[in-house]
Amino acid sequence: MVFVLLTLAGCGAPGWHESMAEETPPPLPVFDRAQIRRGQMLAALGDCSSCHSSRDGPPFAGGVPVPTPFGTVYGTNITPEPQTGIGKWSEAAFRRALRDGVSRDGHLLYPAFPYNHFTHLSDDDIRALYAFVMTRDPVQATAPANRLMFPLQFRPLLAGWNMLYLKKGPIQQQGAQSAEWSRGAYLVESVGHCAACHSPRTALGGEKKDAYLDGGDAEGWHATALNEKSPSPVPWTVDSLTTYLRTGIVTEHAMAAGPMQGVVHNFAQADPADLRAMAVYITSRMDPPDAARQAREASARKKAAQESLAAVQPSSPAPAADEAALTLGGVVYANSCAECHDLGRQLSSGTALRLPLAIALHLPDPRNLIHIVRRGILPADGEAGRWMPPFEGSLTDEQLAALVVWLRRQGTDAPPWNDVLKTVKESGNAP
Ligand code: HEC
Ligand code: HEC
Ligand code: HEC
């Protein structure tokens, strides 16, 4: 199926491009300091290190597994090492990789590398990124071979994907907007590649353009809708979203977790004005909250004001099938969570938010909540910061599922999630 579609779509598009000559990069002084610094801030926005720097290895030396629905692709070595890195790449070859998804020797690159977004970068910004990567320490390292479903090892098939999903050229200006909004739109759609995780994808792994930022998947997590469908109980403002992107934590919204934690961690190196511009653009896509969203906020705040979540009166009667789970869930909450999350308790944690305000309870499926309870939210290695303890190993699957069912009912007015125990069991194996 995938094969047939890609082959059909690819008819006429080249599956291989000409090789570009190797080049000895210009000696360092050619890049000026300001340019390298700008490249560094763009690389932070582009999250390059999440896919190109392994946890324990040297920066940008590659070897990072990038999971996709079709298998695992490894981020490559993009240090200026001549044999195993990109030390012999001209700026033109680097530009072609970011714009067209073609490697220097001519082979097509997998869209796990988000070139369908980087394609919109300006010449100046690509030059700055080039200046930044070419001035890193060269490291000799070769990424492991990709592990992909048959027949996707065959790279020329990607020509079909490119025909369908690679739309080159600068992003289109939409009407008369402020300079800050336009800057935000440019960054979100190009280097920031937010839609790579926050938009749903087709069976072929392309982003659905008619569902832009409607919410998507990333490594077994749900990446929240960032448009008028935003499920956040407290609507985002430019200020709160800027703070979230800068620090990963905002009172009343909680804390970045899962794949978003690495993204935000990198944003700490970005230009604060750029983060604000992105927040201006994203909040404009969320629209002013309509009556339904206002009602959701009011209800969440009312529940959050109760001394204990157990005291909340749920909005509808419990389905008979859920009664046993709800009783168990309430006990688990009282024993494991109340000490930090109930009003006025906070014995050990300073300020943990009231859970009716936590986005994880309001999502279309319970995966994020399950991951957060299992793994907690731990600060990056060696960093101080607030943290949520992991419960992996101290709750059984049944207890965790019961807790999740109970939290959804006590904390929100949303319909119950289906098959929670099944999701708990399946997501135990997530990466
Ligand atoms: C979501 C993961 C991801 C992010 C983010 C990402 N890359 Fe990559 N990149 C990859 C993967 C995976 C490959 C290898 C693709 C393949 O083997 O076909 C790659 C390949 C490349 C290549 C081609 C290398 C070669 O030898 O062919 C360059 C250049 C590159 N990335 C630069 C960047 C830069 C610069 C950034 C940040 C602005 C970035 N990447 C961000 C995953 C990523
Ligand atoms: C690698 C995938 C990935 C990328 C890239 C990414 N996000 Fe996320 N994002 C997630 C996931 C997964 C979550 C849900 C987990 C959480 O809430 O911490 C999330 C959560 C968020 C939230 C919190 C949503 C809410 O209502 O609570 C915001 C805001 C956000 N992302 C903004 C952005 C913006 C802006 C960009 C681009 C600059 C971006 N993200 C890029 C994966 C990603
Ligand atoms: C030792 C204190 C502590 C305990 C115990 C604890 N938490 Fe947390 N939790 C935190 C802190 C701190 C945060 C993050 C700070 C914030 O968002 O205010 C947090 C955040 C969260 C979030 C929000 C994450 C997000 O990004 O949306 C959820 C959901 C959550 N906890 C659920 C639970 C559940 C369920 C339990 C019981 C199994 C629990 N917590 C037990 C301290 C705790």
Side-chain angles (χ1 to χ4, degrees):
M1 158 79 173
V2 174
F3 180 80
V4 174
L5 278 169
L6 286 176
T7 316
L8 282 177
C11 284
W16 194 271
H17 291 250
E18 69 185 271
S19 162
M20 284 191 172
E22 294 183 342
E23 176 176 285
T24 312
L28 293 191
V30 171
F31 303 119
D32 69 70
R33 294 258 308 267
Q35 201 174 33
I36 297 172
R37 173 86 185 108
R38 224 160 54 80
Q40 178 180 25
M41 294 198 288
L42 288 165
L45 284 180
D47 205 24
C48 318
S49 67
S50 285
C51 300
H52 289 282
S53 306
S54 66
R55 191 177 275 267
D56 310 311
F60 303 106
V64 185
V66 181
T68 80
F70 310 103
T72 303
V73 185
Y74 287 86
T76 45
N77 180 351
I78 54 168
T79 70
E81 198 280 323
Q83 257 67 49
T84 59
I86 62 169
K88 289 185 175 165
W89 286 39
S90 63
E91 187 188 326
F94 183 78
R95 187 164 55 238
R96 184 174 71 168
L98 266 62
R99 289 251 171 94
D100 301 354
V102 179
S103 190
R104 187 197 57 75
D105 70 4
H107 72 261
L108 298 186
L109 294 165
Y110 289 107
F113 166 45
Y115 59 86
N116 59 316
H117 291 280
F118 298 159
T119 194
H120 304 307
L121 278 165
S122 69
D123 286 349
D124 274 0
D125 284 349
I126 291 181
R127 187 165 306 133
L129 279 167
Y130 181 69
F132 173 68
V133 294
M134 288 316 227
T135 48
R136 297 310 88 201
D137 288 334
V139 179
Q140 213 171 40
T142 304
N146 298 326
R147 286 179 283 115
L148 287 162
M149 256 160 58
F150 178 81
L152 297 174
Q153 297 82 346
F154 187 57
R155 290 182 182 260
L157 288 176
L158 293 166
W161 196 92
N162 289 340
M163 291 257 287
L164 291 169
Y165 301 116
L166 176 62
K167 302 285 173 267
K168 292 192 243 180
I171 64 156
Q172 264 141 39
Q173 278 297 333
Q174 301 158 8
Q177 295 283 358
S178 70
E180 195 177 35
W181 187 96
S182 303
R183 172 86 183 146
Y186 165 73
L187 293 170
V188 162
E189 297 194 13
S190 63
V191 72
H193 68 279
C194 315
C197 296
H198 286 277
S199 284
R201 289 179 185 262
T202 66
L204 294 178
E207 290 162 28
K208 293 188 181 162
K209 289 296 167 204
D210 56 353
Y212 179 67
L213 298 181
D214 269 7
D217 276 306
E219 298 167 40
W221 291 68
H222 175 76
T224 333
L226 295 179
N227 54 19
E228 76 288 351
K229 298 200 172 89
S230 164
S232 181
V234 179
W236 289 98
T237 62
V238 173
D239 282 342
S240 64
L241 190 52
T242 305
T243 307
Y244 177 86
L245 296 176
R246 271 189 40 229
T247 66
I249 181 154
V250 190
T251 334
E252 301 196 331
H253 282 283
M255 204 162 148
M260 192 61 198
Q261 206 180 13
V263 173
V264 168
H265 181 72
N266 281 325
F267 285 175
Q269 305 290 322
D271 183 345
D274 281 346
L275 296 177
R276 191 173 175 88
M278 296 202 301
V280 165
Y281 171 70
I282 294 278
T283 47
S284 82
R285 299 206 65 113
M286 288 178 174
D287 294 344
D290 59 12
R293 276 166 68 199
Q294 283 170 3
R296 189 169 65 205
E297 177 181 8
S299 169
R301 285 190 185 280
K302 203 168 137 213
K303 292 185 208 301
Q306 300 269 344
E307 200 159 315
S308 168
L309 192 54
V312 169
Q313 201 53 49
S315 51
S316 56
D322 285 353
E323 258 170 39
L326 287 169
T327 309
L328 175 60
V331 173
V332 176
Y333 179 82
N335 290 338
S336 304
C337 322
E339 70 172 276
C340 296
H341 285 287
D342 266 355
L343 197 59
R345 299 285 293 277
Q346 291 131 41
L347 295 177
S348 43
S349 75
T351 50
L353 83 171
R354 310 280 86 70
L355 292 182
L357 303 178
I359 182 90
L361 270 61
H362 296 261
L363 300 178
D365 68 67
R367 285 175 300 162
N368 291 11
L369 182 56
I370 294 166
H371 293 321
I372 288 167
V373 175
R374 274 216 175 104
R375 305 173 193 186
I377 309 177
L378 305 176
D381 285 348
E383 282 181 19
R386 258 187 291 183
W387 60 291
M388 148 90 197
F391 286 85
E392 181 85 76
S394 57
L395 296 177
T396 63
D397 286 355
E398 284 71 20
Q399 288 170 329
L400 176 51
L403 172 67
V404 165
V405 170
W406 185 85
L407 286 172
R408 175 77 161 181
R409 181 167 155 78
Q410 293 297 118
T412 78
D413 299 328
W417 285 311
N418 297 322
D419 299 328
V420 173
L421 183 58
K422 190 163 158 254
T423 313
V424 165
K425 290 194 184 293
E426 284 167 4
S427 59
N429 310 321

